[in-house]
Amino acid sequence: MNILITGAWQQAGEYIEQIEALGHKTVFLQWEKNPLPCDPEWVEGIICNGFFLYHPIEQFVNLKYIQLTSAGFDRVPMEYIEKHGIEIHNAKNVYSIPMAEFALAGVLSLYKQLPFFYENQKQHRWEKHRSLLELAGKRVLILGCGSVGKECAKRFEAFGCDVVGVNHRIRPDEVFSNMIGFDQLDEELKKADILVLALPLTEETYHFISEKRIASMKNTAILVNVARGAIVDQSALERALEGEQLGGAVLDVFEEEPLPEESRLWELENVIVTPHNSFVGERNPERINSCIVRNLEKSIAL
């Protein structure tokens, strides 16, 4: 297979020889926005991230294999890919552990008022806080029970939480105390102390957490978004947080990125804002390398 590899795979140079030993031919493109180093017709496989945001997929008439370095499919034309029977893989399980750790850490940071203590530390100020909360016994609702959702469930369950998963396909899974369908979501939202979003962004999930759904939640609830910003109606979320209709939010993703400097979210004391960074972990390279090579070895498109 003729494979175009982009710089989205940061360790590609260490594996090109191994890939070619499997019988493939390769060319390399460092920056996905740049012109192609080969004719589009030559390409049968691509290892990339946002490549098709800059290069129309229709010109790759012999394309039969795509490997993404991202967990999401929202930056590729899935309708075209499915219609043409192109084999596609994401970076499944690569980023799930650091994202789950981030989700837990964010909630703990708000529950234990760590921003308050950090500011006091900088000012050398000794001041107690009498409103710290415990995770144990809290009801955690996780939307999306794929690899990220499952890793989140493991960690919250270990802290003594009652973890309920919401998924399209209901299945038994010991890390969730219960798994329900999306038809039961609205009722469960009313009971949740913590809502973790681990859904893909699709037409169906755009603004899935709407103003109405936010309003139905407890005014002490924490919303955690490590998925995609547009899953939440961000304006409605801002209003709810400012009006103390929610206890707080841990936000790593936003409808517009970078988050504009004038956004009110930067200033809210009950909000943790990070720059789409929750996926970062020191073992990611090891996992993505293994994922890419393993999928090539097993590919049915060869």
Side-chain angles (χ1 to χ4, degrees), residues 36-67:
L36 296 174
C38 59
D39 292 329
E41 295 84 359
W42 181 85
V43 178
E44 296 172 312
I46 296 179
I47 300 173
C48 64
N49 185 352
F51 179 81
F52 296 112
L53 299 177
Y54 315 107
H55 304 275
I57 195 171
E58 293 81 4
Q59 66 181 313
F60 299 93
V61 295
N62 293 311
L63 185 63
K64 56 184 178 180
Y65 183 90
I66 300 171
Q67 169 69 63

Side-chain angles (χ1 to χ4, degrees), residues 163-234:
V163 185
V164 177
V166 185
N167 209 40
H168 282 297
R169 185 173 64 85
I170 300 174
R171 65 180 190 273
D173 195 315
E174 61 184 13
V175 300
F176 297 95
S177 62
N178 189 23
M179 190 179 294
I180 62 173
F182 281 89
D183 59 328
Q184 297 176 261
L185 170 62
D186 290 336
E187 192 59 36
E188 286 295 325
L189 274 175
K190 301 173 185 177
K191 308 173 188 176
D193 297 299
I194 299 159
L195 173 64
V196 180
L197 304 180
L199 292 167
L201 177 61
T202 64
E203 289 184 7
E204 180 186 2
T205 61
Y206 176 80
H207 280 192
F208 195 67
I209 303 303
S210 61
E211 183 171 17
K212 181 179 179 181
R213 284 180 166 147
I214 292 170
S216 73
M217 297 173 65
K218 295 179 180 180
N219 61 9
T220 55
I222 303 292
L223 184 149
V224 181
N225 194 359
V226 292
R228 289 290 186 266
I231 292 172
V232 180
D233 182 337
Q234 188 167 304

Side-chain angles (χ1 to χ4, degrees), residues 120-170:
N120 279 356
Q121 181 179 341
K122 289 195 297 183
Q123 300 298 325
H124 298 191
R125 184 168 58 235
W126 184 275
E127 181 182 358
K128 296 185 184 295
H129 198 300
R130 300 299 185 182
S131 301
L132 306 189
L133 301 176
E134 299 177 8
L135 259 182
K138 296 298 189 294
R139 190 174 183 87
V140 180
L141 192 62
I142 298 179
L143 270 61
C145 301
S147 58
V148 175
K150 185 168 181 175
E151 292 297 334
C152 287
K154 289 178 183 178
R155 285 152 181 78
F156 282 102
E157 193 274 337
F159 275 74
C161 297
D162 178 19
V163 185
V164 177
V166 185
N167 209 40
H168 282 297
R169 185 173 64 85
I170 300 174

Side-chain angles (χ1 to χ4, degrees), residues 242 259 261-271 273:
E242 284 188 311
L259 181 66
E261 289 185 20
E262 64 273 16
S263 172
R264 294 171 291 180
L265 292 172
W266 291 107
E267 305 297 330
L268 297 177
E269 293 183 359
N270 58 343
V271 177
V273 170

Side-chain angles (χ1 to χ4, degrees), residues 104-122 129 132 269 272:
L104 178 67
V107 174
L108 280 172
S109 182
L110 291 179
Y111 268 27
K112 302 304 180 185
Q113 297 292 336
L114 296 189
F116 168 86
F117 290 117
Y118 178 63
E119 287 302 316
N120 279 356
Q121 181 179 341
K122 289 195 297 183
H129 198 300
L132 306 189
E269 293 183 359
I272 293 176

Side-chain angles (χ1 to χ4, degrees), residues 65-98:
Y65 183 90
I66 300 171
Q67 169 69 63
L68 301 175
T69 59
S70 63
F73 293 99
D74 52 300
R75 305 183 79 198
V76 293
M78 286 303 299
E79 185 175 345
Y80 179 95
I81 290 166
E82 291 170 357
K83 180 179 178 181
H84 290 79
I86 298 170
E87 181 181 344
I88 185 167
H89 299 272
N90 67 340
K92 184 178 180 181
N93 297 321
V94 172
Y95 311 112
S96 306
I97 289 174

